[in-house]
Amino acid sequence: QRQEDSTRYPDAMTRRPRATPAELAPEPWPDLPSDDAVAEAVRQFVVRLRAEIGERSVRSVAAMAGVDQNALRRLLLGMTWPDLATLARLELALKADLWARPDDR
């Protein structure tokens, strides 16, 4: 007789993976607007970030901002959602406003 594992969550409480920003926008990412308002805000952030990176390498920008270069690459590809610390570090390092307020659009 098998004992029930008390560390497992019931099916109703398991966390389902959420779609990535790129999955919520038409291809090619980030060139076309998304119908999802939050994914669109992230897409615009990525467009601004790419413009600020310019000719610099992702590695150099990541080092400048103190963020993981692979995390920055995934963010640029729309594979992950940006967190506030990453956003703040990038804005400070690049001396740029990368996140637009909803009323600025």
Side-chain angles (χ1 to χ4, degrees):
Q1 192 174 19
R2 192 175 144 190
Q3 284 188 342
E4 186 64 29
D5 182 0
S6 63
T7 60
R8 290 191 57 192
Y9 290 102
D11 286 339
M13 292 194 56
T14 56
R15 184 174 175 176
R16 291 177 176 76
R18 66 179 167 170
T20 66
E23 290 171 336
L24 295 172
E27 291 185 24
W29 169 266
D31 299 334
L32 300 173
S34 174
D35 291 334
D36 182 277
V38 178
E40 177 59 14
V42 173
R43 186 193 70 82
Q44 290 182 19
F45 162 72
V46 168
V47 168
R48 287 185 198 89
L49 177 57
R50 283 184 173 187
E52 289 297 329
I53 289 173
E55 297 297 317
R56 292 178 267 208
S57 70
V58 171
R59 177 183 285 183
S60 69
V61 171
M64 210 168 70
V67 299
D68 179 75
Q69 69 174 317
N70 291 320
L72 181 54
R73 287 181 204 285
R74 289 190 302 274
L75 180 59
L76 289 167
L77 292 170
M79 296 170 60
T80 60
W81 295 91
D83 64 31
L84 189 54
T86 300
L87 169 66
R89 286 184 179 113
L90 288 166
E91 284 193 337
L92 290 168
L94 294 168
K95 296 179 177 63
D97 292 325
L98 300 172
W99 190 261
R101 294 169 39 103
D103 57 329
D104 289 344
R105 288 185 219 137

